[in-house]
Amino acid sequence: MSSFAGRMKEYPTVSLDRFDRENVHARAYFLSHCHKDHMKGLKGPLLKRKLHFSRTVRLYCSFVTKELLLSNPKYAFWEDYIVSPLHYYFHIHLFVFVWQKEDVVVTLLPAGHCPGSVMFLFEGSQGNVLYTGDFRLAIGDASRIEHLHSGSRVKDIQSVYLDSTFYDPRFYKIPTREVCLNGISELVGNWISQSSYHVVWLNCKAAYGYEYLFTNLGEQFNTQIHVKSLAMFKKMPEILSYVTTDRKTQIHACRHPKDEEFFQGNRLPCGCTAPDGTPLRIISIKPSTMWFGERSKKTNVIIKTGASSFRACFSFHSSYSEIKDFLSYLKPANVYPSVIPIGQTLTEKLIMVDTFIKLILKYNLMFLIMFSKQILFFFFLWNIVKSPQKTALPDPAEESLQPTVTESQTVSHNYLDCTESNDEEEGEEEEEEEEEEGQGDMNVKNEVIMEAVEKSENKCPSSNPPKWQDFFTTEMLSDSQNSQSQSCCSAQSTSPSRMTGSQTPELFSDEEESTDINENFSLTLSASLSNHSSQNQDSSLPDTLILHPEQRGQEKEDMKEENDQPEMEKELSESQVSSDFDVPCTPESQMPRPDELAQLYRKLASGEDAVIRKESQGSV
DNA sequence: GCGATCAGAT
DNA sequence: CACATCTGATCGC
């Protein structure tokens, strides 16, 4: 669960994923995805009143997040205040008023956590800051995210506000989404093929994120999954076509307050029975996170937990090694973990991050010595020491070399609002104290950076740049899964990414049921889900500035050619071409002058990312 | 009566 | 196997 307090040190006038307390005063809001623990205060009366009186406050989120949010009547009052792009990669031109006006370009990056989930990359005078929200990216995915790069280099990232849910060596490895999906498919297929009375209940929690499971199962078995409601997907036809409210199907993901009891009594949560009265044969599959230690060779993705109950591996969050890979690639100067697991103090978490950093340091040292790259190493050290650092922060170089965090220091400063003992009054004194000490202490110096030396060759965004369908697919669907292989999203390009025999996990840990499951499954990850058919009215806001990524068009064109998309995706892309995609800036802002713009663009590493021109191609 | 918060359960 | 949500109890306004 996120313990992030809502604000980033570098850009404190915006709030992300928190809308209560001091966040009520934010100039702009960002919602990374539509999970309740990231929506605290979002339906609060305070904010509602603020919206009523303010003409400038907006909530920025992805299109899908907007749809999901507005499908809940409790959040419907946000409708006129949401700014969402039709595409993943877009730029908001923010004028943030605090100590000065500020140009900030915000880019939405795929997060792979649930439909609509994104990370926010802020680029402005306070540095490039990445807020990950919750994310699940596979190893290697960062290199495929175009907007983390400028040209062939990885952008310099000042800080990462990190989803550290599994940032713990215990969660070293979590089977990839594809592997998990294969296991579930196999189990489902073997069951429902036995007779029409054999049905599966997917015991999913009440949260977005299982949709790609539904779509893939629906696709593979040419059926629809029974769910409680379709309303939230009404603008997402590729999801819509795989779910139904018709109970006459063999795969159910419906819920009921007493569904566990129902299941024990051999009933589905929806109460569905066979027309002829024949008792149904129901198995339950409960998606849950499974992890494996570094040395563990077990890779069971399905565990039998009862006579007809199974647990299936499924994770919304990146594993330890995936997070490590992510950080090692980005090499941010600072890392702020946003999740402090229950039972673990902030200090422990920070120390853990430190430990990782030290290990990296050590590893690199050895590596460097072995390969006689000392020169590079010292050059890099020098870079760290010399690197220009933000104001109001302790010298990061100094700190990074002594990354010790003491309990008292850590706990008393709640910039991230991470500690449980955090029910202090919101006095101003405290605020100031935070400012003075907290920031430095909360700085987890990330010498992951050291790996830069080793990985400098890898700094370019791979020969296959990120393809929009990798992540755009309802932001979730099969997204980034197999990073090493290419896109796994298009129906045609999927099969190559199927598991090889050696990678095939044992399906069951319980032997009694593991006999007859040996079919080969042709996993077809469905094509893009997301059809973002409508644009909101925001482009008509009076004081909006629309920035269009210029080169994006051509790049997408290239991508389309080298990537043989199935028809559906081509059509989708084309439909997106036609839909103007206007991304308003913060309404308080003014239209920048050309020279201002030029300056802004210079701030972007390459200048490729933000250009005012209506794009002519399906953009990402 | 409403919202915030917490414990507990799933 | 640690994910996110819901329910119910309690407290304060």
Side-chain angles (χ1 to χ4, degrees):
Chain A
M1 291 292 210
S2 176
S3 315
F4 181 58
R7 279 180 296 171
M8 305 182 295
K9 180 155 32 80
E10 294 83 355
Y11 301 102
T13 57
V14 304
S15 282
L16 307 94
D17 288 351
R18 282 293 291 264
F19 311 91
D20 57 349
R21 299 187 167 214
E22 293 305 304
N23 298 299
V24 170
H25 307 300
R27 297 284 183 163
Y29 295 100
F30 292 83
L31 178 62
S32 68
H33 64 286
C34 209
H35 276 168
K36 292 286 198 302
D37 59 324
H38 289 252
M39 295 158 66
K40 203 171 273 183
L42 195 56
K43 65 176 190 298
L46 281 177
L47 213 45
K48 203 168 182 175
R49 197 161 359 132
K50 177 178 178 178
L51 287 182
H52 188 70
F53 291 109
S54 168
R55 296 187 176 189
T56 59
V57 174
R58 292 294 181 272
L59 174 67
Y60 297 90
C61 62
S62 71
F63 178 85
V64 170
T65 294
K66 174 192 170 189
E67 290 305 314
L68 298 178
L69 182 70
L70 295 181
S71 71
N72 184 337
K74 286 175 183 168
Y75 301 98
F77 69 90
W78 274 103
E79 179 156 17
D80 297 332
Y81 306 94
I82 297 180
V83 179
S84 67
L86 279 181
H87 304 273
Y88 247 116
Y89 303 121
F90 83 123
H91 302 88
I92 304 170
H93 194 132
L94 285 177
F95 269 72
V96 180
F97 298 87
V98 199
W99 57 95
Q100 62 178 37
K101 286 185 180 181
E102 183 79 39
D103 290 341
V104 182
V105 175
V106 184
T107 306
L108 276 61
L109 308 173
H113 176 70
C114 71
S117 67
V118 292
M119 310 188 286
F120 294 110
L121 176 64
F122 292 77
E123 296 171 271
S125 65
Q126 302 305 300
N128 298 339
V129 178
L130 179 66
Y131 173 80
T132 69
D134 286 350
F135 73 98
R136 171 107 203 246
L137 295 178
I139 286 174
D141 276 351
S143 69
R144 301 166 62 234
I145 299 178
E146 183 180 359
H147 284 74
L148 286 173
H149 303 82
S150 55
S152 60
R153 289 198 76 249
V154 179
K155 286 178 179 172
D156 289 326
I157 305 293
Q158 173 68 34
S159 296
V160 169
Y161 291 79
L162 179 78
D163 167 22
S164 51
T165 302
F166 291 132
Y167 198 80
D168 180 322
R170 281 178 296 172
F171 310 113
Y172 190 83
K173 186 172 67 179
I174 298 172
T176 65
R177 220 193 297 277
E178 187 193 21
V179 167
C180 297
L181 199 50
N182 274 335
I184 297 172
S185 290
E186 195 168 335
L187 174 57
V188 169
N190 275 292
W191 188 253
I192 64 174
S193 62
Q194 295 181 35
S195 85
S196 60
Y197 304 109
H198 285 72
V199 299
V200 171
W201 174 44
L202 301 172
N203 184 359
C204 300
K205 284 170 296 197
Y208 297 116
Y210 300 99
E211 290 72 19
Y212 83 88
L213 178 59
F214 303 161
T215 55
N216 279 278
L217 292 177
E219 169 82 16
Q220 181 164 355
F221 300 113
N222 192 28
T223 185
Q224 290 179 310
I225 285 76
H226 179 238
V227 295
K228 191 176 180 182
S229 167
L230 308 181
M232 61 289 278
F233 305 127
K234 61 180 186 291
K235 292 190 181 172
M236 298 166 224
E238 287 85 1
I239 290 181
L240 208 50
S241 61
Y242 292 114
V243 291
T244 179
T245 51
D246 181 356
R247 301 186 301 174
K248 291 196 292 290
T249 175
Q250 281 179 276
I251 306 178
H252 292 249
C254 42
R255 293 186 305 117
H256 184 279
K258 295 186 173 174
D259 48 23
E260 296 276 359
E261 285 178 32
F262 276 43
F263 176 67
Q264 294 306 320
N266 198 42
R267 281 191 295 163
L268 286 164
C270 59
C272 181
T273 57
D276 60 3
T278 306
L280 295 176
R281 301 285 312 279
I282 310 173
I283 59 168
S284 79
I285 302 175
K286 185 172 190 169
S288 25
T289 307
M290 295 179 191
W291 61 90
F292 304 93
E294 185 171 5
R295 297 196 189 115
S296 169
K297 288 179 181 171
K298 283 189 71 177
T299 51
N300 302 322
V301 298
I302 304 285
I303 291 176
K304 195 164 191 285
T305 56
S308 43
S309 305
F310 298 85
R311 205 177 278 274
C313 182
F314 197 95
S315 180
F316 292 150
H317 298 274
S318 276
S319 67
Y320 181 72
S321 53
E322 286 167 339
I323 297 173
K324 274 207 311 185
D325 176 76
F326 186 72
L327 291 178
S328 300
Y329 188 80
L330 293 181
K331 307 174 189 66
N334 311 306
V335 176
Y336 301 92
S338 63
V339 176
I340 308 302
I342 297 165
Q344 188 176 32
T345 66
L346 176 59
T347 306
E348 287 170 332
K349 194 76 182 182
L350 292 179
I351 286 172
M352 203 166 60
V353 177
D354 276 349
T355 306
F356 162 54
I357 288 163
K358 285 173 183 167
L359 280 175
I360 296 252
L361 196 67
K362 189 176 168 186
Y363 169 81
N364 275 281
L365 206 50
M366 289 170 54
F367 200 87
L368 284 162
I369 290 169
M370 284 171 63
F371 293 89
S372 305
K373 288 187 178 175
Q374 292 94 331
I375 295 172
L376 279 174
F377 176 67
F378 286 115
F379 175 74
F380 190 75
L381 259 188
W382 183 85
N383 260 331
I384 291 181
V385 175
K386 290 293 178 187
S387 66
Q389 287 298 334
K390 49 283 158 184
T391 55
L393 277 182
D395 181 356
E398 228 169 61
E399 283 220 345
S400 61
L401 297 173
Q402 310 166 357
T404 324
V405 183
T406 69
E407 177 101 34
S408 59
Q409 284 173 322
T410 315
V411 173
S412 59
H413 306 303
N414 61 332
Y415 178 74
L416 295 180
D417 202 2
C418 288
T419 57
E420 295 111 300
S421 59
N422 214 3
D423 31 0
E424 334 87 22
E425 302 298 307
E426 302 156 23
E428 289 185 5
E429 296 168 22
E430 237 162 344
E431 287 284 316
E432 285 169 21
E433 197 183 329
E434 262 177 53
E435 289 296 315
E436 280 177 23
E437 300 178 48
Q439 298 178 348
D441 295 332
M442 290 298 300
N443 255 350
V444 181
K445 296 309 161 197
N446 193 349
E447 272 92 296
V448 171
I449 309 166
M450 289 309 174
E451 249 178 343
V453 183
E454 302 309 321
K455 299 180 94 179
S456 55
E457 306 97 298
N458 304 333
K459 268 224 143 189
C460 48
S462 72
S463 49
N464 47 330
K467 300 172 177 61
W468 70 268
Q469 60 271 49
D470 291 347
F471 300 98
F472 195 62
T473 59
T474 302
E475 274 89 328
M476 172 74 238
L477 184 63
S478 71
D479 55 49
S480 52
Q481 209 24 250
N482 49 344
S483 45
Q484 277 94 346
S485 60
Q486 328 67 357
S487 159
C488 59
C489 296
S490 77
Q492 292 171 4
S493 64
T494 344
S495 37
S497 63
R498 204 185 308 171
M499 294 180 295
T500 65
S502 61
Q503 290 169 324
T504 305
E506 303 168 46
L507 202 55
F508 297 99
S509 60
D510 186 324
E511 278 146 27
E512 71 180 271
E513 278 281 300
S514 62
T515 43
D516 53 356
I517 301 177
N518 48 20
E519 286 177 63
N520 260 336
F521 282 91
S522 168
L523 178 66
T524 305
L525 297 173
S526 148
S528 167
L529 280 192
S530 192
N531 182 10
H532 302 93
S533 47
S534 82
Q535 173 61 293
N536 61 33
Q537 327 309 325
D538 290 311
S539 54
S540 63
L541 291 172
D543 39 10
T544 348
L545 169 65
I546 297 144
L547 291 182
H548 289 279
E550 183 180 357
Q551 274 101 350
R552 215 57 60 210
Q554 187 54 49
E555 285 168 17
K556 296 316 165 266
E557 178 73 46
D558 297 340
M559 252 183 248
K560 273 170 97 179
E561 282 168 15
E562 73 186 43
N563 184 32
D564 62 335
Q565 304 175 20
E567 276 314 302
M568 186 165 65
E569 294 208 14
K570 282 180 182 163
E571 284 168 21
L572 190 57
S573 297
E574 279 153 20
S575 74
Q576 286 167 345
V577 173
S578 63
S579 63
D580 272 350
F581 132 59
D582 300 335
V583 180
C585 62
T586 297
E588 280 175 355
S589 66
Q590 306 152 2
M591 186 68 83
R593 299 187 310 272
D595 57 311
E596 289 175 329
L597 274 177
Q599 194 184 354
L600 167 65
Y601 299 148
R602 271 198 299 277
K603 286 180 197 162
L604 299 175
S606 70
E608 294 177 355
D609 288 332
V611 189
I612 305 186
R613 182 168 78 73
K614 294 241 173 188
E615 54 194 22
S616 56
Q617 251 307 320
S619 148
V620 178

